[in-house]
Amino acid sequence: MIFNEDGHTEFAVGMIEDLTRQRIIEWENEQYQSIYRNTVELEYDGICIMDLKTGEVIAKLAESVSADNKAKRENLSFIKKRFIEELMCPEDQERFREEFDILSILSQLEREEVVHFYFVSEKNNEKRHKDCAIRYFNEDRTKLFVCIRDIEQQLQTERESKEALQKAFEAAKHANEAKSEFISKMSHDIRTPMNAIVGMTAIAKANIDDKERVLDCLDKVKVANEHLLSLVNEVLDMSRIESGKM
């Protein structure tokens, strides 16, 4: 802006800048940060992105895990130490220090899409199971993505399902044993009237001219036949009960 001797504006130059692109980037960044925060707080105990070229790691713990839950940029040894001390119970710390070896993990990732480490976390005298999953973050395979999540509820559900299956198996086994016992007893019971029918029929045939003897045999055949029929009905009733028709 240029002024004359009287102090009035004689010439002015103005610039108009389109901030739309900048605003869009800022908005997208805010959305990303919101998703990042909510993902960590709602889904994971902690996440980190590890640069394999520089050894630099960006990590963040959930607020429920650590009061110091801001995303931090540190080296791998520091982040490893922090995760171990803040997330793991003493019994698992030494094991994790030995197993969490980058070269070993990269070797496993050649064969598997995700590498898992399982450990127990202890806080306020409560122990909970955790899953540390490691996978490549980008297509170039220059970065690793590590996420730690609570799997206690998942394990509890699996335990309950296993217990329910075990109970169902025991019930089926008991029912099968009862059925086998019933069939064994029924087989014996059925043979008795059948033997009577066969025996009385043979006697009647052998004494065909003795009317009184034949009638006596026929009466006994009738009694045995009725007994046999009742046993057969019991078997049929059992079959209907098992098929849910009774």
Side-chain angles (χ1 to χ4, degrees):
M1 186 176 293
I2 301 174
F3 301 93
N4 58 22
E5 295 177 354
D6 298 328
H8 295 100
T9 302
E10 189 171 274
F11 181 75
V13 177
M15 292 177 58
I16 299 176
E17 182 180 358
D18 188 354
L19 299 177
T20 303
R21 175 67 177 168
Q22 181 180 341
R23 296 301 184 201
I24 291 175
I25 293 174
E26 290 176 355
W27 181 82
E28 289 179 345
N29 187 55
E30 289 176 1
Q31 295 298 309
Y32 173 78
Q33 290 296 330
S34 175
I35 293 172
Y36 177 79
R37 286 194 301 272
N38 291 331
T39 298
V40 173
E41 294 303 328
L42 297 177
E43 300 293 335
Y44 301 108
D45 287 351
I47 64 172
C48 70
I49 298 173
M50 184 187 310
D51 192 319
L52 296 174
K53 290 184 176 180
T54 65
E56 186 178 69
V57 180
I58 301 175
K60 178 176 173 60
L61 291 174
E63 187 175 349
S64 59
V65 175
S66 173
D68 183 16
N69 65 331
K70 293 183 179 179
K72 292 188 176 182
R73 192 182 298 267
E74 301 285 354
N75 59 54
L76 175 59
S77 59
F78 177 84
I79 293 298
K80 180 179 175 180
K81 180 175 182 293
R82 183 186 178 200
F83 270 42
I84 289 175
E85 291 178 352
E86 296 195 31
L87 289 173
M88 298 182 187
C89 67
E91 294 84 354
D92 283 338
Q93 289 184 7
E94 188 59 37
R95 177 178 62 83
F96 195 79
R97 287 190 184 97
E98 296 175 359
E99 292 181 358
F100 196 88
D101 176 73
I102 291 299
L103 293 179
S104 175
I105 291 171
L106 294 179
S107 176
Q108 291 182 67
L109 286 174
E110 291 297 321
R111 304 184 301 271
E112 307 167 20
E113 185 177 345
V114 184
V115 175
H116 292 275
F117 292 95
Y118 298 98
F119 62 91
V120 176
S121 176
E122 185 173 7
K123 187 175 182 181
N124 299 327
N125 295 322
E126 180 187 10
K127 290 187 176 182
R128 299 184 68 85
H129 290 80
K130 309 288 181 178
D131 171 27
C132 175
I134 305 172
R135 55 168 57 84
Y136 280 111
F137 182 72
N138 56 354
E139 292 184 359
D140 295 335
R141 297 195 166 195
T142 58
K143 295 180 180 181
L144 294 178
F145 179 69
V146 182
C147 61
I148 299 173
R149 65 187 182 92
D150 188 289
I151 57 172
E152 190 64 35
Q153 184 60 47
Q154 176 184 334
L155 291 177
Q156 180 62 28
T157 301
E158 290 176 358
R159 283 193 291 268
E160 291 174 356
S161 297
K162 187 176 180 180
E163 290 175 2
L165 286 173
Q166 183 63 31
K167 289 180 180 178
F169 171 76
E170 293 295 336
K173 181 180 177 183
H174 178 72
N176 194 51
E177 289 173 352
K179 184 193 296 184
S180 297
E181 184 180 350
F182 172 79
I183 291 174
S184 177
K185 180 177 180 298
M186 192 60 66
S187 297
H188 178 270
D189 290 347
I190 287 175
R191 277 197 296 269
T192 300
M194 286 189 69
N195 288 335
I197 293 171
V198 172
M200 290 300 104
T201 302
I203 292 173
K205 187 176 181 180
N207 298 274
I208 194 68
D209 295 328
D210 189 343
K211 184 177 180 181
E212 186 176 344
R213 190 73 179 271
V214 170
L215 289 175
D216 180 62
C217 289
L218 290 176
D219 287 339
K220 291 177 180 178
V221 167
K222 180 182 178 183
V223 172
N225 183 61
E226 290 174 350
H227 183 204
L228 180 60
L229 182 60
S230 68
L231 293 175
V232 171
N233 285 334
E234 285 185 32
V235 174
L236 293 175
D237 288 343
M238 177 65 72
S239 178
R240 292 192 189 97
I241 290 171
E242 288 187 342
S243 63
K245 294 181 178 179
M246 279 189 70

